[in-house]
Amino acid sequence: MSNVPHELAEEFPEQAGKIHEMKTGNAHFAKLFDEYHEVNRAIHRAETDIEPTDDFHMEEMRKQRMRLKDELYGMLAG
């Protein structure tokens, strides 16, 4: 358990400029970006026991974060 937020700009520092550009110019990317950060914050709150959750829910949130991250990266790389 890491307890460190996985902010997208920190995950892909070489893409920081493109992340900003796509957030402002691509509505689908912006929606996925917001969803990613919502799930990411929920995971961080659960990991730090601010809002504890069971293992099943934690696993589902982590899978969702990974799917969103993969889709966002695909859009950045494309």
Coordinates of all heavy atoms in Angstrom, one line a residue:
M1 N 0.9 -1.2 0.0 CA 0.0 0.0 0.0 C 0.9 1.2 0.0 O 1.7 1.4 0.9 CB -0.9 -0.1 1.2 CG -1.8 1.1 1.4 SD -3.2 0.9 2.6 CE -2.5 -0.2 3.8
S2 N 0.7 2.1 -1.0 CA 1.6 3.2 -1.2 C 1.3 4.5 -0.4 O 2.2 5.2 0.0 CB 1.8 3.5 -2.7 OG 0.6 4.1 -3.1
N3 N 0.1 4.8 -0.3 CA -0.4 6.1 0.4 C 0.1 7.3 -0.3 O 0.1 8.4 0.2 CB 0.1 6.1 1.8 CG -0.6 5.1 2.7 OD1 -1.7 4.6 2.3 ND2 -0.1 4.8 3.9
V4 N 0.6 7.2 -1.5 CA 1.1 8.3 -2.3 C 0.1 8.5 -3.5 O -0.1 7.6 -4.2 CB 2.5 8.1 -2.8 CG1 3.0 9.2 -3.7 CG2 3.5 7.9 -1.7
P5 N -0.4 9.7 -3.6 CA -1.4 10.0 -4.7 C -0.7 9.8 -6.0 O 0.5 10.1 -6.2 CB -1.8 11.4 -4.6 CG -1.4 11.8 -3.2 CD -0.3 10.9 -2.7
H6 N -1.4 9.2 -7.0 CA -0.9 8.9 -8.3 C -1.4 10.0 -9.3 O -2.2 9.7 -10.1 CB -1.3 7.5 -8.8 CG -0.8 6.4 -8.0 ND1 0.2 5.6 -8.6 CD2 -1.0 5.9 -6.8 CE1 0.6 4.7 -7.7 NE2 -0.2 4.9 -6.6
E7 N -0.9 11.2 -9.1 CA -1.4 12.3 -10.0 C -0.9 12.1 -11.4 O 0.2 11.6 -11.6 CB -0.9 13.7 -9.4 CG -1.4 14.0 -8.0 CD -2.9 14.1 -8.0 OE1 -3.5 14.6 -8.9 OE2 -3.5 13.8 -6.9
L8 N -1.7 12.3 -12.3 CA -1.4 12.0 -13.7 C -0.2 12.7 -14.2 O 0.7 12.1 -14.9 CB -2.6 12.4 -14.6 CG -2.8 11.5 -15.8 CD1 -2.9 10.1 -15.5 CD2 -4.0 12.0 -16.6
A9 N 0.0 14.0 -13.8 CA 1.2 14.7 -14.3 C 2.5 14.1 -13.7 O 3.6 14.2 -14.3 CB 1.1 16.2 -13.9
E10 N 2.4 13.5 -12.5 CA 3.5 12.8 -11.9 C 3.8 11.4 -12.5 O 4.9 11.0 -12.6 CB 3.3 12.7 -10.4 CG 3.3 14.0 -9.7 CD 2.9 13.9 -8.2 OE1 2.6 12.8 -7.7 OE2 2.7 14.9 -7.6
E11 N 2.7 10.8 -13.0 CA 2.8 9.5 -13.6 C 3.4 9.6 -15.0 O 4.2 8.8 -15.4 CB 1.4 8.9 -13.8 CG 0.8 8.5 -12.4 CD 1.4 7.3 -11.8 OE1 1.6 6.3 -12.5 OE2 1.7 7.4 -10.6
F12 N 3.1 10.7 -15.7 CA 3.6 11.0 -17.0 C 4.2 12.4 -17.1 O 3.7 13.2 -17.8 CB 2.5 10.8 -18.1 CG 1.7 9.6 -18.0 CD1 0.4 9.6 -17.8 CD2 2.4 8.3 -18.1 CE1 -0.4 8.4 -17.7 CE2 1.6 7.2 -18.1 CZ 0.3 7.2 -17.8
P13 N 5.3 12.6 -16.4 CA 5.9 14.0 -16.4 C 6.3 14.5 -17.8 O 6.2 15.7 -18.1 CB 7.1 13.9 -15.5 CG 7.4 12.4 -15.4 CD 6.2 11.7 -15.7
E14 N 6.7 13.6 -18.7 CA 7.1 14.0 -20.0 C 5.9 14.5 -20.9 O 6.0 15.1 -21.9 CB 7.8 12.9 -20.8 CG 7.0 11.7 -21.1 CD 6.6 10.8 -20.0 OE1 7.0 10.9 -18.9 OE2 5.8 9.9 -20.2
Q15 N 4.7 14.2 -20.4 CA 3.4 14.6 -21.1 C 2.7 15.7 -20.4 O 1.5 16.0 -20.8 CB 2.5 13.3 -21.1 CG 3.1 12.1 -21.8 CD 3.0 12.3 -23.3 OE1 2.6 13.3 -23.9 NE2 3.5 11.2 -24.0
A16 N 3.3 16.4 -19.5 CA 2.6 17.4 -18.7 C 2.0 18.5 -19.6 O 0.8 18.9 -19.4 CB 3.5 18.1 -17.7
G17 N 2.7 19.0 -20.6 CA 2.2 20.0 -21.5 C 1.0 19.5 -22.3 O 0.0 20.2 -22.5
K18 N 1.1 18.2 -22.8 CA 0.1 17.6 -23.6 C -1.2 17.4 -22.7 O -2.3 17.5 -23.2 CB 0.5 16.4 -24.3 CG -0.4 15.9 -25.3 CD 0.2 14.9 -26.3 CE -0.8 14.5 -27.3 NZ -0.3 13.6 -28.3
I19 N -1.0 17.0 -21.5 CA -2.1 16.8 -20.6 C -2.9 18.1 -20.4 O -4.1 18.0 -20.6 CB -1.6 16.3 -19.2 CG1 -1.1 14.8 -19.3 CG2 -2.7 16.4 -18.2 CD1 -0.4 14.3 -18.1
H20 N -2.2 19.2 -20.2 CA -2.9 20.4 -20.1 C -3.6 20.8 -21.4 O -4.8 21.2 -21.4 CB -1.9 21.6 -19.7 CG -2.6 22.9 -19.6 ND1 -3.4 23.2 -18.6 CD2 -2.5 23.9 -20.5 CE1 -3.8 24.5 -18.8 NE2 -3.3 24.9 -19.9
E21 N -3.0 20.6 -22.5 CA -3.6 20.9 -23.8 C -4.8 20.1 -24.0 O -5.8 20.6 -24.5 CB -2.5 20.7 -24.9 CG -3.0 20.8 -26.3 CD -1.9 20.4 -27.3 OE1 -0.7 20.8 -27.1 OE2 -2.2 19.7 -28.2
M22 N -4.7 18.8 -23.7 CA -5.9 17.9 -24.0 C -7.0 18.2 -23.0 O -8.2 18.0 -23.4 CB -5.4 16.5 -24.0 CG -4.6 16.2 -25.2 SD -4.3 14.5 -25.6 CE -5.9 13.9 -26.0
K23 N -6.7 18.5 -21.8 CA -7.7 18.9 -20.8 C -8.6 20.0 -21.3 O -9.8 20.0 -21.0 CB -7.1 19.2 -19.4 CG -6.8 18.1 -18.6 CD -6.4 18.4 -17.1 CE -5.9 19.8 -16.9 NZ -5.4 20.1 -15.6
T24 N -8.0 21.0 -21.9 CA -8.7 22.2 -22.3 C -9.3 22.0 -23.7 O -10.2 22.8 -24.1 CB -7.8 23.4 -22.3 OG1 -6.6 23.2 -23.1 CG2 -7.3 23.7 -20.9
G25 N -8.8 21.1 -24.5 CA -9.2 21.0 -25.9 C -9.9 19.8 -26.3 O -10.4 19.7 -27.5
N26 N -10.1 18.8 -25.4 CA -10.7 17.6 -25.7 C -11.7 17.2 -24.6 O -11.2 16.8 -23.5 CB -9.6 16.5 -25.9 CG -10.2 15.1 -26.3 OD1 -11.2 14.7 -25.8 ND2 -9.5 14.5 -27.3
A27 N -13.0 17.3 -24.8 CA -14.0 17.1 -23.8 C -13.9 15.7 -23.2 O -14.1 15.4 -22.0 CB -15.3 17.4 -24.3
H28 N -13.7 14.7 -24.1 CA -13.7 13.3 -23.7 C -12.4 13.1 -22.7 O -12.6 12.4 -21.7 CB -13.6 12.3 -24.9 CG -13.6 10.9 -24.5 ND1 -14.7 10.3 -23.8 CD2 -12.7 9.9 -24.7 CE1 -14.4 9.0 -23.6 NE2 -13.2 8.8 -24.1
F29 N -11.3 13.6 -23.2 CA -10.1 13.5 -22.3 C -10.3 14.2 -21.0 O -10.0 13.6 -19.9 CB -8.9 14.1 -23.0 CG -7.6 14.0 -22.2 CD1 -6.8 12.9 -22.4 CD2 -7.2 14.9 -21.3 CE1 -5.6 12.7 -21.7 CE2 -6.0 14.8 -20.6 CZ -5.2 13.7 -20.8
A30 N -10.9 15.4 -21.0 CA -11.2 16.1 -19.7 C -12.1 15.3 -18.8 O -11.9 15.2 -17.6 CB -11.8 17.4 -20.0
K31 N -13.1 14.6 -19.4 CA -14.0 13.8 -18.6 C -13.3 12.6 -17.9 O -13.4 12.4 -16.7 CB -15.2 13.3 -19.4 CG -16.2 12.4 -18.7 CD -17.3 12.0 -19.7 CE -18.3 11.1 -19.0 NZ -17.8 9.8 -18.8
L32 N -12.5 11.9 -18.7 CA -11.7 10.8 -18.2 C -10.7 11.3 -17.2 O -10.5 10.6 -16.2 CB -11.0 10.1 -19.4 CG -11.9 9.3 -20.4 CD1 -11.0 8.8 -21.5 CD2 -12.7 8.3 -19.7
F33 N -10.1 12.4 -17.4 CA -9.1 13.0 -16.5 C -9.8 13.3 -15.2 O -9.2 12.9 -14.1 CB -8.6 14.3 -17.1 CG -7.6 15.0 -16.2 CD1 -6.2 14.7 -16.3 CD2 -8.0 16.0 -15.3 CE1 -5.3 15.4 -15.5 CE2 -7.1 16.7 -14.5 CZ -5.7 16.4 -14.6
D34 N -11.0 13.8 -15.2 CA -11.7 14.1 -13.9 C -12.1 12.8 -13.2 O -12.0 12.7 -12.0 CB -12.9 15.0 -14.2 CG -12.6 16.4 -14.6 OD1 -11.5 16.8 -14.3 OD2 -13.5 17.1 -15.1
E35 N -12.5 11.8 -14.0 CA -12.9 10.5 -13.4 C -11.6 9.9 -12.7 O -11.7 9.3 -11.6 CB -13.4 9.6 -14.5 CG -14.8 9.9 -14.9 CD -15.3 8.9 -16.0 OE1 -15.0 7.7 -15.9 OE2 -16.1 9.4 -16.8
Y36 N -10.5 9.9 -13.5 CA -9.3 9.4 -12.9 C -8.9 10.0 -11.6 O -8.7 9.3 -10.6 CB -8.1 9.6 -13.9 CG -6.8 9.1 -13.3 CD1 -6.4 7.8 -13.5 CD2 -6.0 10.0 -12.7 CE1 -5.2 7.4 -12.9 CE2 -4.7 9.6 -12.1 CZ -4.3 8.3 -12.3 OH -3.1 7.9 -11.7
H37 N -9.0 11.3 -11.5 CA -8.6 12.0 -10.3 C -9.6 11.8 -9.2 O -9.2 11.7 -8.0 CB -8.3 13.5 -10.5 CG -7.0 13.6 -11.2 ND1 -5.8 13.5 -10.5 CD2 -6.6 13.8 -12.5 CE1 -4.8 13.7 -11.3 NE2 -5.3 13.8 -12.6
E38 N -10.9 11.6 -9.5 CA -11.9 11.3 -8.5 C -11.6 10.0 -7.9 O -11.6 9.8 -6.6 CB -13.3 11.4 -9.1 CG -14.4 11.1 -8.1 CD -15.8 11.2 -8.8 OE1 -16.0 12.1 -9.7 OE2 -16.6 10.4 -8.5
V39 N -11.4 8.9 -8.7 CA -11.1 7.6 -8.2 C -9.7 7.6 -7.4 O -9.6 7.0 -6.4 CB -11.0 6.6 -9.4 CG1 -10.5 5.2 -8.9 CG2 -12.4 6.4 -10.0
N40 N -8.8 8.3 -8.0 CA -7.5 8.4 -7.3 C -7.6 9.0 -5.9 O -6.9 8.5 -5.0 CB -6.5 9.2 -8.2 CG -5.1 9.1 -7.7 OD1 -4.6 8.1 -7.4 ND2 -4.4 10.3 -7.7
R41 N -8.3 10.1 -5.8 CA -8.5 10.7 -4.5 C -9.2 9.7 -3.5 O -8.9 9.7 -2.3 CB -9.2 12.0 -4.6 CG -8.4 13.1 -5.2 CD -9.0 14.5 -5.1 NE -10.2 14.6 -6.0 CZ -10.2 15.0 -7.2 NH1 -9.0 15.3 -7.8 NH2 -11.3 15.0 -7.9
A42 N -10.2 9.0 -4.0 CA -11.0 8.0 -3.2 C -10.0 6.9 -2.7 O -10.1 6.5 -1.5 CB -12.1 7.4 -4.0
I43 N -9.1 6.5 -3.6 CA -8.2 5.4 -3.2 C -7.2 6.0 -2.1 O -7.0 5.3 -1.1 CB -7.4 4.9 -4.4 CG1 -8.3 4.1 -5.3 CG2 -6.2 4.1 -3.9 CD1 -7.7 3.8 -6.7
H44 N -6.8 7.2 -2.3 CA -5.8 7.8 -1.3 C -6.5 8.0 0.0 O -5.9 7.7 1.1 CB -5.3 9.2 -1.9 CG -4.3 9.8 -1.0 ND1 -3.1 9.3 -0.7 CD2 -4.4 10.9 -0.2 CE1 -2.4 10.0 0.1 NE2 -3.2 11.0 0.4
R45 N -7.8 8.4 0.0 CA -8.5 8.6 1.3 C -8.7 7.2 2.0 O -8.6 7.1 3.2 CB -9.9 9.2 1.1 CG -9.8 10.7 0.7 CD -11.1 11.4 0.7 NE -12.1 10.8 -0.1 CZ -12.3 11.1 -1.4 NH1 -11.6 12.0 -2.0 NH2 -13.3 10.4 -2.1
A46 N -8.9 6.2 1.2 CA -9.1 4.8 1.8 C -7.8 4.3 2.3 O -7.7 3.7 3.4 CB -9.7 3.9 0.7
E47 N -6.7 4.5 1.6 CA -5.4 4.0 2.0 C -4.9 4.7 3.3 O -4.2 4.2 4.1 CB -4.3 4.3 0.9 CG -4.5 3.3 -0.3 CD -3.5 3.6 -1.4 OE1 -2.9 4.7 -1.4 OE2 -3.3 2.7 -2.2
T48 N -5.3 6.0 3.5 CA -4.9 6.7 4.6 C -5.9 6.7 5.8 O -5.8 7.4 6.8 CB -4.6 8.2 4.3 OG1 -5.7 8.8 3.7 CG2 -3.4 8.3 3.3
D49 N -6.9 5.8 5.6 CA -7.9 5.6 6.6 C -8.8 6.8 6.9 O -9.4 6.9 8.0 CB -7.4 5.0 7.9 CG -6.9 3.6 7.7 OD1 -7.6 2.8 6.9 OD2 -5.9 3.2 8.4
I50 N -8.8 7.8 6.0 CA -9.7 8.9 6.1 C -11.1 8.4 5.9 O -12.1 8.8 6.5 CB -9.3 10.1 5.2 CG1 -8.0 10.6 5.6 CG2 -10.4 11.1 5.1 CD1 -7.4 11.6 4.7
E51 N -11.3 7.6 4.8 CA -12.5 6.9 4.5 C -12.2 5.4 4.2 O -12.1 5.0 3.1 CB -13.1 7.6 3.2 CG -13.6 9.0 3.5 CD -14.2 9.6 2.2 OE1 -14.5 8.9 1.2 OE2 -14.3 10.9 2.2
P52 N -12.1 4.6 5.3 CA -11.8 3.2 5.1 C -12.8 2.5 4.2 O -14.0 2.9 4.2 CB -11.8 2.7 6.5 CG -11.6 3.9 7.4 CD -12.3 5.0 6.7
T53 N -12.3 1.4 3.6 CA -13.2 0.6 2.7 C -12.7 -0.8 2.8 O -11.6 -1.1 3.3 CB -13.2 1.1 1.3 OG1 -14.2 0.4 0.6 CG2 -11.9 0.9 0.6
D54 N -13.5 -1.7 2.3 CA -13.1 -3.1 2.4 C -12.2 -3.5 1.2 O -12.1 -2.7 0.3 CB -14.4 -4.1 2.4 CG -15.2 -3.9 1.1 OD1 -14.7 -4.2 0.0 OD2 -16.4 -3.6 1.3
D55 N -11.6 -4.6 1.3 CA -10.6 -5.0 0.3 C -11.1 -5.1 -1.1 O -10.5 -4.7 -2.1 CB -9.9 -6.3 0.7 CG -9.0 -6.1 1.9 OD1 -8.6 -5.0 2.2 OD2 -8.6 -7.2 2.5
F56 N -12.4 -5.6 -1.2 CA -13.0 -5.8 -2.5 C -13.2 -4.5 -3.2 O -12.9 -4.3 -4.4 CB -14.3 -6.5 -2.4 CG -15.1 -6.7 -3.7 CD1 -14.7 -7.6 -4.6 CD2 -16.1 -5.8 -4.0 CE1 -15.3 -7.8 -5.8 CE2 -16.8 -6.0 -5.2 CZ -16.4 -6.9 -6.2
H57 N -13.7 -3.5 -2.5 CA -14.0 -2.2 -3.0 C -12.7 -1.5 -3.4 O -12.6 -0.9 -4.5 CB -14.8 -1.3 -2.1 CG -15.2 0.0 -2.7 ND1 -14.8 1.2 -2.1 CD2 -16.0 0.3 -3.8 CE1 -15.3 2.2 -2.9 NE2 -16.0 1.6 -3.9
M58 N -11.6 -1.7 -2.6 CA -10.3 -1.1 -2.9 C -9.8 -1.7 -4.2 O -9.3 -0.9 -5.0 CB -9.4 -1.3 -1.7 CG -8.0 -0.8 -2.0 SD -7.9 1.0 -2.0 CE -7.7 1.3 -0.3
E59 N -9.9 -3.0 -4.3 CA -9.4 -3.6 -5.5 C -10.1 -3.1 -6.8 O -9.5 -2.8 -7.8 CB -9.5 -5.1 -5.4 CG -9.0 -5.9 -6.6 CD -7.5 -5.8 -6.7 OE1 -6.8 -5.6 -5.6 OE2 -6.9 -6.0 -7.8
E60 N -11.4 -3.0 -6.7 CA -12.2 -2.5 -7.8 C -11.8 -1.0 -8.1 O -11.7 -0.7 -9.3 CB -13.7 -2.5 -7.5 CG -14.3 -4.0 -7.5 CD -14.0 -4.7 -8.8 OE1 -14.4 -4.2 -9.8 OE2 -13.5 -5.8 -8.7
M61 N -11.6 -0.2 -7.1 CA -11.2 1.2 -7.4 C -9.8 1.2 -8.1 O -9.6 2.0 -9.0 CB -11.2 2.0 -6.1 CG -12.5 2.3 -5.6 SD -12.5 3.6 -4.2 CE -11.4 2.9 -3.0
R62 N -8.9 0.4 -7.6 CA -7.6 0.3 -8.3 C -7.7 -0.1 -9.7 O -6.9 0.4 -10.6 CB -6.7 -0.6 -7.4 CG -6.2 0.1 -6.1 CD -5.3 -0.8 -5.4 NE -4.8 -0.1 -4.2 CZ -4.5 -0.7 -3.1 NH1 -4.5 -2.0 -3.0 NH2 -4.0 0.0 -2.1
K63 N -8.5 -1.1 -10.0 CA -8.7 -1.6 -11.4 C -9.3 -0.4 -12.2 O -8.8 -0.3 -13.4 CB -9.6 -2.8 -11.4 CG -8.9 -4.0 -10.9 CD -9.9 -5.2 -10.9 CE -9.3 -6.5 -10.4 NZ -10.3 -7.6 -10.4
Q64 N -10.2 0.3 -11.7 CA -10.8 1.4 -12.4 C -9.8 2.5 -12.7 O -9.7 3.0 -13.8 CB -12.0 2.0 -11.7 CG -12.7 3.1 -12.4 CD -13.8 3.7 -11.6 OE1 -14.0 3.4 -10.4 NE2 -14.6 4.6 -12.3
R65 N -9.0 2.8 -11.7 CA -7.9 3.8 -11.9 C -6.9 3.3 -13.0 O -6.5 4.1 -13.9 CB -7.2 4.0 -10.6 CG -6.0 5.0 -10.8 CD -5.3 5.3 -9.5 NE -4.7 4.2 -8.9 CZ -4.1 4.2 -7.7 NH1 -4.1 5.3 -6.9 NH2 -3.5 3.1 -7.2
M66 N -6.6 2.0 -13.0 CA -5.7 1.5 -14.0 C -6.3 1.6 -15.4 O -5.6 2.0 -16.4 CB -5.3 0.1 -13.7 CG -4.2 -0.5 -14.6 SD -3.5 -2.1 -14.1 CE -5.0 -3.0 -13.5
R67 N -7.6 1.2 -15.5 CA -8.2 1.3 -16.9 C -8.3 2.7 -17.4 O -8.0 3.0 -18.5 CB -9.6 0.8 -16.8 CG -9.7 -0.7 -16.7 CD -11.2 -1.3 -16.9 NE -12.1 -0.8 -15.8 CZ -12.3 -1.4 -14.7 NH1 -11.6 -2.6 -14.4 NH2 -13.1 -1.0 -13.8
L68 N -8.6 3.7 -16.5 CA -8.6 5.1 -16.9 C -7.2 5.6 -17.3 O -7.1 6.3 -18.3 CB -9.2 5.9 -15.7 CG -10.7 5.8 -15.5 CD1 -11.1 6.4 -14.2 CD2 -11.5 6.5 -16.6
K69 N -6.3 5.2 -16.5 CA -4.9 5.6 -16.8 C -4.4 5.1 -18.1 O -3.8 5.8 -18.9 CB -4.0 5.1 -15.6 CG -2.5 5.5 -15.8 CD -1.8 5.1 -14.6 CE -0.3 5.1 -14.8 NZ 0.4 4.5 -13.6
D70 N -4.7 3.8 -18.4 CA -4.4 3.2 -19.7 C -5.0 4.0 -20.8 O -4.4 4.2 -21.9 CB -4.7 1.8 -19.7 CG -3.8 0.9 -18.9 OD1 -2.8 1.4 -18.4 OD2 -4.2 -0.3 -18.7
E71 N -6.3 4.3 -20.7 CA -7.1 5.0 -21.7 C -6.5 6.4 -21.9 O -6.3 6.8 -23.1 CB -8.5 5.0 -21.4 CG -9.3 5.6 -22.6 CD -10.8 5.4 -22.4 OE1 -11.3 4.8 -21.5 OE2 -11.6 6.0 -23.3
L72 N -6.2 7.1 -20.8 CA -5.7 8.4 -20.9 C -4.3 8.4 -21.6 O -4.0 9.2 -22.5 CB -5.6 9.1 -19.6 CG -6.9 9.5 -18.9 CD1 -6.8 9.7 -17.4 CD2 -7.5 10.7 -19.6
Y73 N -3.5 7.4 -21.2 CA -2.1 7.4 -21.8 C -2.3 7.1 -23.3 O -1.5 7.6 -24.1 CB -1.3 6.3 -21.2 CG 0.1 6.2 -21.8 CD1 1.0 7.2 -21.5 CD2 0.5 5.3 -22.7 CE1 2.3 7.2 -22.0 CE2 1.7 5.3 -23.3 CZ 2.6 6.3 -22.9 OH 3.9 6.3 -23.5
G74 N -3.2 6.2 -23.7 CA -3.4 5.9 -25.1 C -3.8 7.2 -25.9 O -3.3 7.4 -27.0
M75 N -4.6 8.0 -25.3 CA -4.9 9.3 -26.0 C -3.7 10.2 -26.0 O -3.6 10.9 -27.0 CB -6.1 9.9 -25.2 CG -7.4 9.2 -25.3 SD -8.7 9.9 -24.3 CE -9.2 11.2 -25.4
L76 N -2.9 10.2 -25.0 CA -1.7 11.1 -25.0 C -0.7 10.6 -26.0 O 0.0 11.4 -26.7 CB -1.1 11.1 -23.6 CG -1.8 11.9 -22.5 CD1 -1.3 11.6 -21.2 CD2 -1.8 13.4 -22.8
A77 N -0.5 9.3 -26.1 CA 0.5 8.7 -27.0 C 0.0 8.7 -28.5 O 0.8 8.7 -29.4 CB 0.8 7.3 -26.6
G78 N -1.3 8.8 -28.7 CA -1.8 8.7 -30.0 C -1.7 10.0 -30.8 O -1.2 10.6 -31.5

